[in-house]
Amino acid sequence: MALVLAFDTATHVATVALVGDGEPLGERTTRAFRVLAEADELLRELGATPDDITALVVGTGPGSFTGTRLGLALARGFALARGVDVAGVSTLDALAAGAPGSLPVIDAGRREVFTTVSEEPRALPPAGLDAEGMTCVGDGAVRYRAVLEEHGAVVPPDGSPLHVPHARLHAAIAADFGSARAVLPVYVREPDARVPG
């Protein structure tokens, strides 16, 4: 059986899933720092070990700079230690896969959201989204519900699973498996931290 470990740490809700031969076997939502512990628990529940994992899928953002880097570092370390291939999947793409036809909206901080414009990731103020008549999903849609709805968007209820970039969706749309070094983060803007001088 092909056993894929998938995870995304780019948003405030991290997700981790095990997928066997294309079928989700288990999934959890957690915090970014707990992803490996949750993956270990999922493996134990299946009677499997890390040696049984044949590939990884990691969320590449955009989202939290630190969370995205953490996820990529975990994927690279695991892939190098276990000799498995990795595929990167945009967090925006995974959100959209969970609600076909929707507009993915991730809280970007700085009173902005990450979304897609002409299939490219962008950071915009929520009022700058062209979302009239669209269903908006993601933590940015929840945070800026009032603004988006004022501009004609539809936002599912706050607790809807449509707002979570589920790891099983990353695995479902993953392609181009290869070296972990080839998987790059999706950065839409410069990091907040700057090196002095």
Side-chain angles (χ1 to χ4, degrees):
M1 170 173 64
L3 184 62
V4 175
L5 171 62
F7 53 88
D8 189 307
T9 56
T11 66
H12 73 278
V13 176
T15 62
V16 59
L18 287 172
V19 177
D21 294 332
E23 294 297 320
L25 302 174
E27 182 173 38
R28 295 194 177 167
T29 57
T30 187
R31 304 284 296 177
F33 71 91
R34 293 250 335 130
V35 163
L36 289 182
E38 296 290 348
D40 185 58
E41 289 177 25
L42 285 170
L43 285 167
R44 288 172 194 258
E45 287 172 9
L46 293 172
T49 70
D51 291 332
D52 296 319
I53 294 171
T54 58
L56 293 177
V57 178
V58 61
T60 57
S64 157
F65 180 83
T66 302
T68 301
R69 296 296 299 170
L70 174 67
L72 288 171
L74 290 174
R76 287 178 180 158
F78 190 96
L80 289 172
R82 300 288 178 194
V84 298
D85 287 339
V86 180
V89 171
S90 161
T91 305
L92 291 167
D93 290 347
L95 274 170
S102 68
L103 182 64
V105 183
I106 296 172
D107 185 5
R110 298 187 200 169
R111 297 186 183 126
E112 290 183 324
V113 294
F114 294 125
T115 190
T116 53
V117 176
S118 300
E119 299 183 24
E120 293 295 322
R122 299 269 310 271
L124 301 168
L129 289 179
D130 182 16
E132 185 172 349
M134 300 278 305
T135 297
C136 294
V137 296
D139 61 359
V142 171
R143 181 170 184 186
Y144 295 105
R145 171 186 299 282
V147 174
L148 295 173
E149 289 177 343
E150 183 179 303
H151 286 87
V154 175
V155 179
D158 289 5
S160 172
L162 297 175
H163 296 303
V164 179
H166 292 284
R168 70 178 182 276
L169 299 172
H170 288 70
I173 62 175
D176 301 324
F177 284 84
S179 168
R181 293 175 194 195
V183 178
L184 300 174
V186 176
Y187 293 138
V188 178
R189 62 179 186 214
E190 295 295 316
D192 292 333
R194 303 262 185 234
V195 177

